[in-house]
Amino acid sequence: MTKTHTTNYFDTFIEVAEDCPVIHGEIPKLKGNNKTVAELQFEMISKKPYKYSSDDVLFQVFAERNDISEAEKDEAKKSFFSKGQPCFRASPLTKRYGFGVHSNHEGKIAIYGMETEEYTKLSSDSGIKTVKAMRTSKK
């Protein structure tokens, strides 16, 4: 049996990276004909906050960008999570676009722009764990 990895967090808030270049949450813009990872993640999470887990979003984005059919999804998902995957600490939403990611007690996620009251509340909530997104540049 292969090990299954997960990117899910529970009761955790991922703050934007220290070197995030923006001062408020910025909606990712279309570049070329294909939607970027940031756009796909943003659309999925912002339209249905607390509906999906991190694993759900990361795999769906992978599946969309790689044209994986419904019939191939189960096998592709097993393969995808048989290796460790970067979590939302490495997402362009947290590193570049100014969004924090909150995972509730069920592991379902929502995003909050760094300028919002919710972001401030979550980043100072002692009842949940807070972690920083990964820096883009090395110190």
Side-chain angles (χ1 to χ4, degrees):
M1 169 121 180
T2 46
K3 181 173 176 10
T4 303
H5 296 268
T6 183
T7 64
N8 292 341
Y9 282 95
F10 299 88
D11 292 320
T12 303
F13 185 62
I14 302 172
E15 298 176 314
V16 299
E18 283 176 26
D19 61 352
C20 182
V22 297
I23 54 170
H24 56 81
E26 223 175 65
I27 298 172
K29 302 278 187 273
L30 185 65
K31 291 183 180 130
N33 296 332
N34 298 330
K35 289 185 178 177
T36 64
V37 167
E39 278 181 281
L40 292 168
Q41 289 177 350
F42 179 84
E43 281 180 5
M44 201 169 165
I45 304 164
S46 65
K47 285 180 181 164
K48 295 187 175 164
Y50 299 113
K51 178 173 175 29
Y52 303 108
S53 69
S54 172
D55 283 356
D56 295 337
V57 175
L58 295 173
F59 178 71
Q60 183 58 38
V61 168
F62 168 81
E64 259 182 67
R65 289 182 58 90
N66 290 281
D67 289 324
I68 294 170
S69 71
E70 279 304 314
E72 301 168 307
K73 272 193 178 164
D74 284 346
E75 201 51 48
K77 194 171 202 170
K78 280 184 196 134
S79 173
F80 185 76
F81 287 112
S82 70
K83 303 181 278 301
Q85 297 294 333
C87 69
F88 266 89
R89 288 185 58 218
S91 164
L93 294 180
T94 58
K95 290 174 67 170
R96 155 73 186 87
Y97 291 99
F99 289 96
V101 178
H102 177 238
S103 299
N104 68 13
H105 65 282
E106 298 176 321
K108 306 294 186 183
I109 62 175
I111 54 175
Y112 297 96
M114 62 195 291
E115 76 287 356
T116 64
E117 204 175 299
E118 291 89 348
Y119 182 99
T120 305
K121 274 187 205 155
L122 288 164
S123 62
S124 60
D125 184 340
S126 60
I128 61 174
K129 182 179 175 188
T130 56
V131 293
K132 281 264 188 220
M134 294 173 180
R135 297 173 55 87
T136 299
S137 59
K138 296 199 181 349
K139 256 192 167 168

